[in-house]
Amino acid sequence: MNKKALVEALSEMEVLLELDGANPFRSGAYGKAVRALEALDTDLEEHVENGTLTDLDGIGKGIAQKIEEFAQAGTISELEEMRSKFPEGLLEMTLIPGLGPKKARAVYTELGVSSVDQLRAACEDGRIAGLKGFGDKTARKILDGIEQLARFSGRHRLDAALKAALPILEKIRSLKSVQEAEIGGSLRRRKETVGDLDFVASTKEPGKVMEAFVSLDGVTSVIGKGETKSSVLLGGTLQADLRCVSGAEYPFALLHFTGSKEHNTRLRQIAREKGMKLNEYGLFPDGKEESLRAKSEKDVYKHLALSYIPPEMREDMGEVEAAGEGKLPRLLEQKDLRGILHMHTTYSDGRPKLEDYAEWAAAHGYEWMGIADHSQSLTIGRGMSIERVWEQHEEIDAINKKWKSKGVRLLKGVECDILKDGSLDYPDEVLKEFDFVICSVHTYFNLTEKEQTARVMKALEHPCATILGHATGRLLLARDGFPLDQHAAIRHAAKTGAAIEINANPRRLDMDWRLIPYAMEQGVPITIGPDAHRIEGLDDIQFGIAMARKGWLGKRDVLNCLSAEKFLKFVKEKKKRSE
Ligand code: DGT
Ligand code: CA
Ligand code: CA
Ligand code: ZN
């Protein structure tokens, strides 16, 4: 019998009984049993066979029966019953620090809240604070708890990881004993979430570098400190590893510790085929103890007869083959972008005024900014009534007159809700007045995949629909996207002439970069949208560019690289195509 599984089943019973409002003695009995089993140092199976379970402290007759049932059937029928009584999300809710089963039950019975997402929404819109026995403070505590739950799930969002890593990199580089240093691992590859931070440095005095590393600001504990490698914990949750090597080893070490593991494996294969051995210390021709020299990673690739593969592409998605054939695409760069689209203003739930975006564009060298506030039915996003749309258009006209000489233009876009039935959130005569329309799902996440796919596809068929915004609605490490056949959505975008957004907000990064090659194959252009609600949110464009690069996109694949006129031409062609 699997003791761990049994303990889990009994703990779950305890929680479910609490959720059910059962007599505390009944649920408490399960808690006691769990602790008894965890402390047990005799053989559980023997107790079951001999019928001596009740001899154990903390295990009564009722629980003993459940354990016997579990031993025989591998499950407990009452547990199965109880499980089907509550939505799955409710059980997850009980894990939130500051909530627990009792409060979860209250929230469920009083408000019908049955998932972590719904709970977050209820905290944000004041329903939780309004509940008897809850209040503002509790609502805030629950929100913190939700955040914590995500943090402790072990991975970290790209933006948070980068923010933690950059000052450390700077600090390492500033050390006199350090020649070169770089971020490695999944962060250098710009994965949307990272497990831990990896740093690589070249130095002749690794001891000094290690000492500085473990005494960095923000280090809450030292996991391990060696002569050439150390690991620390930052802020209690984020691990950072540092590896020190010699100058000659550095390019090989950096390549190795950047990964991915799968990419490394492919490179090693190539090396073997060429009669060499590649590892983190060097590239060794068979029978030689001395490595080929490399000044940089580029040289290592060259030795393997490969063109340089940018870190973002090192995911074993065909990049090694392409590099061998000299067929790597030229990846998108920030300077290729001429316009940015998808930002919110005071007309919906954004903080900046319209003109703030014009100013920012001028200061940062962008030619056009595609404003996209929420549409009328999205009340939590303070969506624009039709009246407000006309006001906004007037203001944009005035701003454009003023900014024309500076070469900046605001486009009259909208982030239009896709309603439950796939129709768009304004009448056609309003929709056709926008320069472009991003269509997004913000409601009814609980439809089936078939329904969601049909819904999204219908929206794309509207002639005014230009772009599918944040395709799945996922929130990284917080909420899975709604079920959507993304391949079908991509094919339908191709058919209707629509584009698909990479939402650059680091909470989303949606559509996922892994689907981008399929979009390319189908001929669907991509837009990168920061989904900014504050001016600083525009900086998130970097994360969208990173995802575009992970999806192998170049300048030609991304509509942000067009002039405003060319972009508007794209919108017009889409209209014609689906009319
Ligand atoms: P993460 O931290 O889970 O987001 O992902 P990574 O890729 O940063 O993985 P991590 O931190 O475990 O290791 C950093 C790099 O070191 C990894 O990308 C490739 C390299 N590496 C680690 N373990 C192995 C291994 O067993 N074999 C090979 N070939 N490379 C490895
Ligand atoms: Ca890592
Ligand atoms: Ca690591
Ligand atoms: Zn949105």
Side-chain angles (χ1 to χ4, degrees):
M1 180 169 37
N2 184 341
K3 185 173 136 187
K4 194 167 155 247
L6 172 67
V7 165
E8 273 169 19
L10 295 177
S11 316
E12 197 179 337
M13 268 309 285
E14 182 189 9
V15 172
L16 286 166
L17 283 168
E18 283 182 86
L19 277 175
D20 205 26
N23 181 327
F25 288 114
R26 260 196 84 203
S27 51
Y30 282 91
K32 244 196 217 155
V34 165
R35 285 184 293 281
L37 289 177
E38 278 171 341
L40 184 70
D41 48 15
T42 48
D43 188 2
L44 178 62
E45 260 157 64
E46 239 167 68
H47 285 293
V48 174
E49 272 164 34
N50 304 337
T52 53
L53 277 169
T54 47
D55 290 354
L56 298 169
D57 250 359
I59 294 185
K61 218 167 123 205
I63 303 269
Q65 272 171 10
K66 303 287 181 205
I67 297 178
E68 280 158 11
E69 187 190 346
F70 186 89
Q72 261 191 357
T75 183
I76 300 168
S77 56
E78 197 187 349
L79 174 64
E80 302 288 330
E81 245 168 70
M82 293 287 290
R83 271 186 189 149
S84 62
K85 227 167 141 173
F86 299 102
E88 247 173 69
L90 200 57
L91 211 60
E92 198 193 340
M93 273 167 55
T94 63
L95 301 175
I96 298 170
L99 194 69
K102 253 211 211 106
K103 285 206 178 85
R105 171 181 157 78
V107 169
Y108 177 59
T109 50
E110 301 291 318
L111 301 173
V113 164
S114 64
S115 71
V116 176
D117 299 325
Q118 290 172 7
L119 180 65
R120 181 188 297 103
C123 286
E124 281 167 354
D125 67 18
R127 277 178 293 155
I128 294 293
L131 263 188
K132 202 171 141 228
F134 278 68
D136 260 336
K137 219 166 145 190
T138 311
R140 263 201 309 280
K141 225 172 98 193
I142 294 173
L143 274 178
D144 286 347
I146 294 173
E147 282 257 315
Q148 243 181 62
L149 193 66
R151 267 207 303 282
F152 284 107
S153 71
R155 294 195 72 82
H156 305 261
R157 265 182 6 214
L158 172 58
D159 55 324
L162 195 63
K163 202 170 154 193
L166 287 177
I168 296 177
L169 178 65
E170 202 177 318
K171 178 79 199 184
I172 297 173
R173 281 183 175 164
S174 74
L175 298 171
K176 271 209 195 73
S177 42
V178 167
Q179 294 144 4
E180 278 182 278
E182 189 51 271
I183 295 170
S186 52
L187 180 56
R188 182 160 182 242
R189 303 197 312 277
R190 294 296 188 266
K191 279 272 292 281
E192 65 277 25
T193 65
V194 310
D196 66 7
L197 308 182
D198 304 280
F199 297 92
V200 186
S202 67
T203 175
K204 289 190 180 121
E205 299 168 290
K208 275 191 184 164
V209 184
M210 287 301 150
E211 197 47 55
F213 181 66
V214 299
S215 38
L216 280 171
D217 278 350
V219 168
T220 46
S221 59
V222 178
I223 299 166
K225 180 169 174 257
E227 274 163 44
T228 60
K229 74 183 180 194
S230 295
S231 295
V232 299
L233 214 51
L234 304 165
T237 57
L238 178 58
Q239 184 176 327
D241 302 339
L242 169 64
R243 174 66 73 103
C244 286
V245 297
S246 71
E249 287 167 339
Y250 180 75
F252 301 97
L254 179 58
L255 185 65
H256 173 83
F257 289 107
T258 296
S260 63
K261 209 167 139 183
E262 294 74 18
H263 178 84
N264 290 350
T265 306
R266 294 282 298 113
L267 293 185
R268 286 172 186 204
Q269 237 167 1
I270 303 257
R272 260 197 307 279
E273 284 163 18
K274 298 197 178 317
M276 296 184 277
K277 187 175 154 224
L278 174 68
N279 59 29
E280 60 198 275
Y281 306 105
L283 178 61
F284 305 90
D286 285 345
K288 295 252 166 76
E289 302 228 324
E290 203 171 319
S291 168
L292 295 180
R293 281 162 191 261
K295 278 215 266 319
S296 65
E297 283 182 324
K298 213 171 197 159
D299 291 341
V300 185
Y301 283 108
K302 210 190 239 163
H303 288 314
L304 298 173
L306 301 171
S307 39
Y308 175 73
I309 303 175
E312 295 93 326
M313 294 179 90
R314 300 181 195 170
E315 299 290 355
D316 192 23
M317 305 258 284
E319 73 280 6
V320 177
E321 292 77 0
E325 295 163 11
K327 283 187 182 151
L328 282 183
R330 224 192 117 126
L331 294 187
L332 183 75
E333 290 176 50
Q334 179 127 26
K335 67 172 169 43
D336 296 329
L337 272 59
R338 300 174 70 171
I340 294 187
L341 65 175
H342 198 164
M343 54 279 258
H344 297 266
T345 74
T346 50
Y347 280 83
S348 67
D349 58 354
R351 215 176 297 164
K353 297 193 291 286
L354 277 170
E355 195 159 7
D356 296 337
Y357 286 118
E359 249 166 54
W360 187 91
H364 292 79
Y366 289 94
E367 298 165 24
W368 53 277
M369 300 290 274
I371 305 297
D373 275 308
H374 287 297
S375 61
Q376 57 184 354
S377 75
L378 193 69
T379 39
I380 42 166
R382 294 200 294 279
M384 296 183 285
S385 66
I386 296 176
E387 200 63 359
R388 289 286 279 165
V389 172
W390 302 146
E391 280 172 39
Q392 186 178 56
H393 287 188
E394 248 175 64
E395 193 182 337
I396 289 179
D397 285 335
I399 290 171
N400 281 343
K401 233 179 238 161
K402 186 168 150 199
W403 285 82
K404 192 165 180 203
S405 60
K406 304 218 174 61
V408 169
R409 175 171 175 189
L410 300 186
L411 298 185
K412 298 165 184 164
V414 65
E415 183 183 16
C416 183
D417 260 60
I418 300 177
L419 303 181
K420 191 181 177 190
D421 66 355
S423 58
L424 299 186
D425 194 21
Y426 289 116
D428 289 359
E429 60 273 22
V430 176
L431 285 172
K432 71 181 181 20
E433 296 302 321
F434 289 105
D435 287 334
F436 68 91
V437 176
I438 301 172
C439 315
S440 305
V441 167
H442 292 117
T443 54
Y444 297 102
F445 276 44
N446 54 357
L447 304 184
T448 64
E449 176 173 323
K450 212 170 144 205
E451 288 167 328
Q452 292 289 21
T453 307
R455 178 188 185 191
V456 164
M457 283 175 34
K458 185 176 170 212
L460 293 178
E461 282 163 18
H462 194 291
C464 292
T466 322
I467 299 157
L468 175 62
H470 51 65
T472 71
R474 77 175 180 188
L475 294 177
L476 290 166
L477 302 178
R479 165 177 97 191
D480 287 335
F482 58 77
L484 174 73
D485 180 344
Q486 296 191 75
H487 291 90
I490 288 169
R491 286 192 299 275
H492 210 62
K495 196 172 147 204
T496 56
I500 290 179
E501 174 184 76
I502 297 177
N503 191 293
N505 187 314
R507 287 156 35 98
R508 297 185 182 273
L509 302 176
D510 179 19
M511 164 171 290
D512 191 283
W513 58 270
R514 294 165 189 81
L515 284 146
I516 301 299
Y518 186 70
M520 284 304 103
E521 204 182 294
Q522 295 294 315
V524 176
I526 300 298
T527 65
I528 302 175
D531 200 350
H533 290 74
R534 295 168 304 125
I535 278 290
E536 308 84 74
L538 292 168
D539 297 332
D540 290 343
I541 199 80
Q542 61 175 307
F543 301 115
I545 293 170
M547 295 309 119
R549 289 168 65 88
K550 290 195 80 61
W552 294 37
L553 294 186
K555 186 174 163 169
R556 243 174 293 152
D557 311 314
V558 176
L559 298 181
N560 300 62
C561 302
L562 299 177
S563 66
E565 287 71 32
K566 286 261 171 66
F567 174 66
L568 293 173
K569 212 171 130 206
F570 170 83
V571 178
K572 234 181 238 155
E573 272 161 21
K574 155 63 168 92
K575 272 187 191 163
K576 253 195 251 153
R577 185 119 155 231
S578 37
E579 239 157 31

